[in-house]
């Protein structure tokens, strides 16, 4: 671990970021053009004291999970993220783990979208990052682990996931999720992560086995669907998907499809974030 180099790199990257890039108001009283340490701590989900110790070269070796959180908070590029891992004495994440780290450019787009719900997802339906508006809409899904981090797995194994949509749309969503997974499996032929996910789903769900056997293939692009929000009711949303060139990550942007939905989303922003009832966190719409 190169403590002094790590401290210098973190400090310089923090000072290089404009607050507006991460959705923080740049008020006239700021004494620095970059982020404050407490703002980095908030974005990374760590204590301010730990950020101070990192920047002063007094910390213990940070874990790979913490480094990933810092990389997202500081909007590091892929090369900068790998450099961060090297300085901390860790190997950069392998390909499968990198795929679960939202690209810096996509995270910046989340910030710029402001009150428009938006998420960054992997090609296996994992939520890698989401803005505040998306958390208000469907809950925070960035901290899930194991197979629960895959929306397609939650859909076929957790009834609460399907409850966010009208029953008459369940078959449609199920087919779209399976067809999208089929497309990812084709692109990532031989990938044990994909193969293992498919095998576990086939073992867990007869409904998944039925749809998987039909061999439908379709990559998600644009869509319109209804969500049943526990606080503001029925929402009709237009969903637009932008895919990275390697199709490994996508940016999902959700906009209201009618005036009533627009008013309900505005009400939701006023209400702010409250804890969702157990089991009723809505899935990201794909």
């Amino acid at each position: 671990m190169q403590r002094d180099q790590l401290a210098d790199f973190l400090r310089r990257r923090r000072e290089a970021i404009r607050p507006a890039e991460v959705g923080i108001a740049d008020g006239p009283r700021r004494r620095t053009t970059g982020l404050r340490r407490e703002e980095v701590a908030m974005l990374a989900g760590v204590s301010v004291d730990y950020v101070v110790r990192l920047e002063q070269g007094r910390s213990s070796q940070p874990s790979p999970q913490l480094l990933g959180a810092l990389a997202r908070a500081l909007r590091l590029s892929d090369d900068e993220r790998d450099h961060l891992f090297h300085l901390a004495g860790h190997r950069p994440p392998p390909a499968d783990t990198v795929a679960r780290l939202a690209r810096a450019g996509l995270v910046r787009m989340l910030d710029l979208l402001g009150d428009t719900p938006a998420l960054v997802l992997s090609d296996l339906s994992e939520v890698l990052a989401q803005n505040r508006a998306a958390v208000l809409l469907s809950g925070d899904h960035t901290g899930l682990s194991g197979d629960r981090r895959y929306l397609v797995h939650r859909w076929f194994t957790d009834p609460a996931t399907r409850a966010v949509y009208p029953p008459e749309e369940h078959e449609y969503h199920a087919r779209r999720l399976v067809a999208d997974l089929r497309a990812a499996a084709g692109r990532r032929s031989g990938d044990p992560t994909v193969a293992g996910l498919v095998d576990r789903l086939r073992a867990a769900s007869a409904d998944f086995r039925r749809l998987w056997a039909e061999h439908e293939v379709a990559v998600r692009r644009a869509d319109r669907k209804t969500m049943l929000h526990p606080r503001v009711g029925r929402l009709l949303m237009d969903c637009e998907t932008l895919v990275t060139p390697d199709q490994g990550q996508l940016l999902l942007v959700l906009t209201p499809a009618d005036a009533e939905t627009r008013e309900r989303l505005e009400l939701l922003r006023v209400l702010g974030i409250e804890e969702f009832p157990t089991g009723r966190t809505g899935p990201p719409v794909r």
Side-chain angles (χ1 to χ4, degrees):
M1 177 177 172
Q2 303 175 55
R3 282 187 173 81
D4 292 342
Q5 291 295 316
L6 176 63
D8 183 70
F9 180 65
L10 289 172
R11 185 172 60 253
R12 289 182 182 276
R13 295 314 308 151
R14 174 176 62 80
E15 293 171 349
I17 297 179
R18 297 175 57 187
E21 292 183 66
V22 296
I24 296 175
D26 190 2
R29 297 185 178 180
R30 296 185 70 95
R31 290 179 292 179
T32 176
T33 56
L35 294 180
R36 301 185 178 103
R37 290 189 179 96
E38 56 265 29
E39 291 166 342
V40 172
M42 175 191 69
L43 292 168
V46 300
S47 70
V48 178
D49 178 66
Y50 191 71
V51 173
V52 171
R53 285 187 283 119
L54 276 171
E55 290 195 0
Q56 293 179 349
R58 299 187 294 108
S59 72
S60 58
Q61 184 182 36
S63 67
Q65 293 77 16
L66 176 57
L67 293 173
L70 287 169
R72 289 189 295 271
L74 295 171
R75 306 307 192 245
L76 300 185
S77 67
D78 292 351
D79 292 336
E80 290 170 332
R81 182 201 60 235
D82 289 352
H83 184 62
L84 176 68
F85 273 76
H86 284 305
L87 293 178
H90 292 288
R91 289 186 177 183
D96 179 55
T97 304
V98 168
R100 298 202 300 269
L101 297 176
R103 296 191 179 200
L106 296 181
V107 175
R108 291 191 184 100
M109 292 180 71
L110 290 184
D111 298 329
L112 293 172
L113 285 166
D115 289 336
T116 300
L119 312 93
V120 179
L121 300 103
S122 75
D123 61 346
L124 297 182
S125 71
E126 304 162 88
V127 177
L128 308 179
Q130 55 192 131
N131 62 11
R132 180 180 181 275
V135 174
L136 286 173
L137 180 64
S138 61
D140 188 347
H141 297 269
T142 57
L144 299 178
S145 60
D147 282 338
R148 280 192 56 77
R149 68 178 184 267
Y150 303 112
L151 169 58
V152 63
H153 193 277
R154 297 199 305 278
W155 181 271
F156 287 100
T157 61
D158 182 1
T161 299
R162 298 188 295 276
V164 179
Y165 302 105
E168 62 270 19
E169 293 187 8
H170 287 184
E171 176 72 10
Y172 170 78
H173 290 307
R175 285 185 174 276
R176 294 296 295 270
L177 284 166
V178 174
D180 191 64
L181 180 59
R182 265 289 186 186
R187 290 192 304 272
R188 296 170 59 170
S189 178
D191 187 328
T193 299
V194 183
L197 174 60
V198 171
D199 288 345
R200 292 189 297 276
L201 276 167
R202 293 178 67 185
S205 170
D207 203 23
F208 178 84
R209 290 195 298 273
R210 170 180 64 85
L211 295 174
W212 187 255
E214 296 185 16
H215 211 128
E216 294 181 358
V217 181
V219 177
R220 290 296 182 103
R221 293 290 188 259
D223 204 358
R224 172 175 289 186
K225 47 183 64 79
T226 304
M227 298 181 68
L228 305 177
H229 195 278
R231 299 171 67 196
V232 296
R234 196 178 188 93
L235 300 169
L236 185 63
M237 305 296 297
D238 282 329
C239 310
E240 190 68 39
T241 303
L242 306 176
V243 184
T244 57
D246 64 0
Q247 296 186 299
Q249 295 187 11
L250 56 91
L251 177 69
L252 177 66
V253 182
L254 301 99
T255 56
D258 57 24
E260 184 177 10
T261 297
R262 186 176 300 107
E263 292 175 358
R264 291 182 177 184
L265 286 178
E266 291 174 357
L267 173 61
L268 188 59
R269 286 194 290 271
V270 172
L271 292 174
I273 297 176
E274 292 180 2
E275 185 176 355
F276 282 79
T278 302
R280 284 300 305 276
T281 54
V285 186
R286 282 201 64 201

